[in-house]
Amino acid sequence: MDASKYLDRVLLNEEKLQARIADLGAEISRDYAGTELMLLCVLKGGVLFLTDLMRHISIPHEIDFMAVSSYGSGVRETTGVVRIVKDLDGPIENKHILIVEDIIDSGVTLSYLLQLLSPRNPASLKICTLLNKWERRTVDIPVDYVGFDIPDEFVFGYGLDLDEKFRNLPYVGVVNQSNL
Ligand code: IMP
Ligand code: MG
């Protein structure tokens, strides 16, 4: 299956993505120097971003993964109901937790994650998202690191799926609604 059929246009090409991720990695390395940093990747969409970002983080850090689900397969609007599919492997007490997300849309998923993780007493709890659809926000959440602010359009590629496919694309593209 070919992605071009579903692609209206490339929004962020590989060069742009990688340059911004290198900058974010450098910024995070400076901000968290001397601390116990853990990157908490939200599966599955955040995986490509995490693996590229961590290669630009020059300070020692751990990684862990959580899986939450708020979208049924094939559904492109959040249900508003978030469910934990996979929890962290261990405690986060006294660790500096940086949540690594692919995209913030309504903010429902992250607001739920923040509420779930704060009582576990991390030393700090911050958010790093590659993409931010700020126009779509229904829940106000603090976002500490943003790769790109993007318009209210459905995007896929670079971790983000179109019905679970095309996460492997090296770019972020806008979907061609007429071919879905
Ligand atoms: P929120 O809870 O509405 O902020 O939704 C966050 C999740 O919805 C993200 O982690 C994505 O998995 C998914 N999502 C939101 N917008 C898009 C999009 O444009 N393309 C692909 N997935 C999206
Ligand atoms: Mg996600």
Side-chain angles (χ1 to χ4, degrees):
M1 204 168 32
D2 184 4
S4 63
K5 184 180 163 202
Y6 301 104
L7 185 67
D8 177 61
R9 64 185 195 281
V10 173
L11 186 66
L12 301 162
N13 65 26
E14 187 171 3
E15 196 185 347
K16 238 181 156 172
L17 283 172
Q18 294 300 332
R20 181 69 187 123
I21 293 168
D23 285 349
L24 283 172
E27 198 181 332
I28 291 164
S29 306
R30 281 193 301 273
D31 294 352
Y32 285 90
T35 72
E36 286 283 318
L37 172 63
M38 177 185 277
L39 304 177
L40 190 176
C41 175
V42 185
L43 293 171
K44 305 167 192 169
V47 163
L48 272 73
F49 180 37
L50 171 81
T51 54
D52 281 336
L53 180 67
M54 64 189 287
R55 279 180 270 209
H56 292 286
I57 298 183
S58 56
I59 58 169
H61 61 277
E62 297 176 52
I63 61 170
D64 204 348
F65 298 88
M66 266 184 99
V68 293
S69 116
S70 60
Y71 278 45
S73 180
V75 180
R76 288 191 193 80
E77 290 290 322
T78 185
T79 57
V81 180
V82 185
R83 192 165 58 91
I84 298 190
V85 179
K86 183 219 171 288
D87 205 339
L88 296 171
D89 287 344
I92 55 171
E93 199 166 354
N94 300 327
K95 288 180 184 174
H96 290 268
I97 306 301
L98 184 59
I99 299 176
V100 176
E101 251 287 31
D102 50 356
I103 187 165
I104 307 179
D105 189 37
S106 67
V108 169
T109 308
L110 275 177
S111 124
Y112 171 81
L113 267 185
L114 291 177
Q115 280 176 46
L116 182 93
L117 296 171
S118 326
R120 299 187 189 181
N121 296 319
S124 68
L125 185 55
K126 292 191 173 179
I127 295 171
C128 174
T129 187
L130 179 66
L131 308 174
N132 184 30
K133 272 191 202 170
W134 55 271
E135 286 172 70
R136 298 257 307 171
R137 204 59 46 83
T138 58
V139 188
D140 196 26
I141 44 160
V143 187
D144 305 279
Y145 302 91
V146 174
F148 302 90
D149 285 305
I150 65 165
D152 177 14
E153 292 178 289
F154 198 84
V155 292
F156 70 111
Y158 196 74
L160 294 123
D161 68 302
L162 197 55
D163 298 340
E164 291 300 326
K165 297 182 191 73
F166 306 123
R167 295 188 194 272
N168 58 316
L169 299 176
Y171 56 83
V172 173
V174 175
V175 81
N176 178 348
Q177 297 286 352
S178 57
N179 278 343
L180 282 182

